[in-house]
Amino acid sequence: MGMDDCGSFFPGPLVAIICDILGEKTTSILGAFLVTGGYLISSWATSIPFLCVTMGLLPGLGSAFLYQVAAVVTTKYFKKRLALSTAIARSGMGLTFLLAPFTKFLIDLYDWTGALILFGAIALNLVPSSMLLRPIHIKTENSGIKDKGSSLSARGPEACATETHCDETEESTIKDSTTQKAGLPSKNLIVSQNQSEEFYNGPNRNRLLLKSNEESDKVISWSCKQLFDISLFRNPFFYIFTWSFLLSQLAYFIPTFHLVARAKTLGIDIMDASYLVSVAGILETVSQIISGWVADQNWIKKYHYHKSYLILCGITNLLAPLATTFPLLMTYTICFAIFAGGYLALILPVLVDLCRNSTVNRFLGLASFFAGMAVLSGPPIAGWLYDYTQTYNGSFYFSGICYLLSSVSFFFVPLAERRKNSLT
C-alpha cells in the first residue's frame, strides 16, 4: 500500500510532461490501462518482488496519471465553484474503508487470483470515464472558425474590392496541434485558398515535411527541458505550497495507519476499533463537501481556511494520547476527520490561487514529487517511534508537530505577495 501511495506522487513531473504532449484524455486512458494491467498481471504473481512491481509500481504510476489529470481538468472546468467541485470529486476517497470488507468478500468467493482479475475489470471502467474528459477549449476554437467562415460567406464576392484583398481576407491559419498541446509557441502557416494546391505540390511539400520533422524535434527537446525545468524554484509561492503539502502528507498517514493499532493496545475490541475507521471515512467525506462550499463563498482567502484546518489537525493529534477510552478515542476520530477533510478539500484551490502564472500541471507535479517522499517515509518513521518507545503516543505527537509546521509557510504568503508586487 505504501509503495502504491508514494507511486501516486513521485511521477508528478513526468505526468505533467506527458499531459502536455498527449493531452488530459489520452494520459488518463493510459493511466487506466496501467492500473488494469497491474492487477491482471498480479494474478500470475509467484513472488513478493513480482508483486512489488505489478501491485505497487504499475497501479501507483497509473493512479498518478489519473489523479493529476483529474485535478488539472477540474481546474479547467470550474472557476467560481472550484473548491466545491474539487471536494465532490475527491469525496469518494473518504469511503475507501469499504474496500477492506469488499476485498475479503471477493477473496473468500473467488480466491485471491480471481479477486485481482475482478479488480482489474473494475479498473477498466476508468477507460470510458476518461474518454469523457473533453478539452473545453476545442469548442471555442471551432465556433470561432465557424463564425469566421459564415461571416465571409455572407459577405459574398462583391464585398472584396480586389482579388488580392479577398485572398488576404480568406486565408486560413494552420496550426501544428503537437506544438500547441506541448505548450510551444505556435508557428502559423498562412496558406491562401487560391494557392493551396500549388503550395502542397513540388518543393513546398518537401519543405512541409522538413518543417514537421523540425517541429517534432522541438517537442522532444522541449520535453527534456520541461523535465529539468527549475523555473518554479524561483517562485516563492512554490516553496510555500510544497512545504505545507509535504509536511501535511507526512502527518496524514500516521494516524490513519495507527488508529486501529492504538485502539487494540488500549484493550478495545477489534470490531469497535473498525467503527472508528468507518466513522472517520464518512465524516471526512461530509467535511470535504462542506469545506469546499464554505471556501467558495470567498468570505476570506482560501489559504486562511487551509491554514486553520492544519493547525486544528495538529492540536487534535497532540491531544490524541489523552484519549485512553473508546468514547474519547471516538471523539478524537470525529475531530480529526472533520479537520482533515476540511484541508484536503482545499489543497487544489489553494494551489490554483498560489501558482499564479505557472501552469497547474507543472506546479502540482513538482510539489507531488516532494510529497511522495513524505508519503514513503511517514509510516516507517511512526513505526520506528513505536519500536523505540513501545507506545503509539510518539507517533501522534510526531503527526501533530508536522501538521503545525505545515501551516507555518502560509504565514509568509502576504510577504511573498508584497515581494512579487514590488518586482512587477
Side-chain angles (χ1 to χ4, degrees):
M1 183 178 179
M3 187 173 183
D4 194 357
D5 289 328
C6 72
S8 301
F9 287 96
F10 268 128
L14 176 64
V15 176
I17 294 173
I18 295 175
C19 218
D20 284 336
I21 295 175
L22 301 180
E24 287 86 2
K25 182 193 294 185
T26 306
T27 305
S28 184
I29 293 174
L30 179 60
F33 280 124
L34 285 173
V35 175
T36 302
Y39 284 129
L40 293 179
I41 298 173
S42 297
S43 63
W44 302 325
T46 55
S47 63
I48 298 299
F50 189 96
L51 282 174
C52 286
V53 176
T54 57
M55 276 290 289
L57 183 61
L58 290 181
L61 185 61
S63 299
F65 281 49
L66 293 164
Y67 172 78
Q68 193 158 323
V69 167
V72 173
V73 168
T74 303
T75 62
K76 291 183 178 181
Y77 282 8
F78 302 95
K79 300 297 181 185
K80 186 177 180 181
R81 295 287 181 261
L82 176 60
L84 180 59
S85 59
T86 302
I88 295 174
R90 63 169 296 132
S91 59
M93 298 177 70
L95 303 178
T96 51
F97 68 91
L98 296 174
L99 284 176
F102 180 64
T103 303
K104 185 179 184 304
F105 170 76
L106 291 180
I107 292 175
D108 293 339
L109 197 60
Y110 300 107
D111 197 14
W112 67 273
T113 54
L116 286 173
I117 292 173
L118 284 175
F119 274 125
I122 293 171
L124 198 59
N125 288 284
L126 292 168
V127 174
S129 63
S130 298
M131 296 179 70
L132 298 176
L133 301 178
R134 299 176 59 190
I136 56 176
H137 63 273
I138 287 181
K139 184 177 180 181
T140 305
E141 290 180 356
N142 289 341
S143 61
I145 294 172
K146 289 179 181 178
D147 293 342
K148 185 176 179 181
S150 61
S151 63
L152 288 173
S153 61
R155 290 190 309 170
E158 62 274 6
C160 299
T162 63
E163 185 181 32
T164 306
H165 179 69
C166 289
D167 290 341
E168 293 176 355
T169 307
E170 297 180 7
E171 62 186 6
S172 59
T173 304
I174 301 175
K175 294 185 179 179
D176 184 61
S177 60
T178 306
T179 55
Q180 186 178 7
K181 282 183 180 179
L184 291 169
S186 300
K187 293 189 176 181
N188 300 344
L189 300 176
I190 308 300
V191 186
S192 85
Q193 292 180 353
N194 290 340
Q195 298 174 347
S196 59
E197 294 182 1
E198 181 182 345
F199 189 86
Y200 284 105
N201 291 327
N204 290 321
R205 182 177 181 181
N206 296 330
R207 198 178 308 161
L208 276 177
L209 293 174
L210 181 62
K211 190 172 183 105
S212 63
N213 291 333
E214 291 175 355
E215 294 295 348
S216 59
D217 292 338
K218 287 180 181 179
V219 170
I220 296 173
S221 62
W222 174 87
S223 302
C224 296
K225 289 179 181 178
Q226 286 293 96
L227 186 59
F228 301 102
D229 185 20
I230 59 172
S231 60
L232 281 177
F233 292 104
R234 295 191 292 270
N235 186 345
F237 296 102
F238 173 75
Y239 290 101
I240 291 172
F241 177 82
T242 303
W243 169 273
S244 176
F245 192 38
L246 186 151
L247 289 175
S248 62
Q249 290 297 319
L250 177 64
Y252 175 73
F253 287 97
I254 294 174
T256 303
F257 285 148
H258 289 179
L259 180 60
V260 175
R262 183 168 187 273
K264 289 171 66 178
T265 60
L266 295 174
I268 298 173
D269 184 69
I270 187 64
M271 286 301 296
D272 293 336
S274 65
Y275 292 145
L276 296 174
V277 179
S278 303
V279 169
I282 295 171
L283 285 178
E284 185 178 299
T285 300
V286 176
S287 175
Q288 288 189 60
I289 296 174
I290 296 175
S291 172
W293 179 84
V294 171
D296 280 334
Q297 305 309 306
N298 293 321
W299 292 322
I300 57 176
K301 292 185 177 180
K302 293 181 178 64
Y303 79 87
H304 290 303
Y305 291 113
H306 192 70
K307 175 177 62 179
S308 301
Y309 287 130
L310 291 173
I311 293 173
L312 291 171
C313 282
I315 295 173
T316 302
N317 278 285
L318 290 177
L319 296 176
L322 300 177
T324 54
T325 62
F326 180 75
L328 290 176
L329 205 57
M330 179 63 77
T331 303
Y332 158 77
T333 302
I334 292 172
C335 293
F336 178 69
I338 292 174
F339 300 144
Y343 88 81
L344 287 171
L346 300 181
I347 290 176
L348 188 60
V350 168
L351 179 146
V352 172
D353 289 345
L354 293 181
C355 71
R356 307 301 169 94
N357 296 329
S358 304
T359 59
V360 174
N361 230 341
R362 291 172 51 214
F363 204 100
L364 178 61
L366 200 54
S368 297
F369 173 77
F370 292 105
M373 300 179 185
V375 173
L376 183 63
S377 59
I381 291 174
W384 175 82
L385 287 173
Y386 174 77
D387 293 337
Y388 185 75
T389 61
Q390 291 301 308
T391 177
Y392 285 106
N393 291 346
S395 301
F396 286 89
Y397 285 138
F398 178 71
S399 176
I401 292 172
C402 287
Y403 269 124
L404 292 178
L405 290 176
S406 69
S407 66
V408 170
S409 62
F410 287 110
F411 288 97
F412 294 94
V413 171
L415 181 63
E417 289 177 341
R418 286 197 296 270
R419 179 177 178 275
K420 188 176 182 66
N421 292 334
S422 64
L423 292 176
T424 56

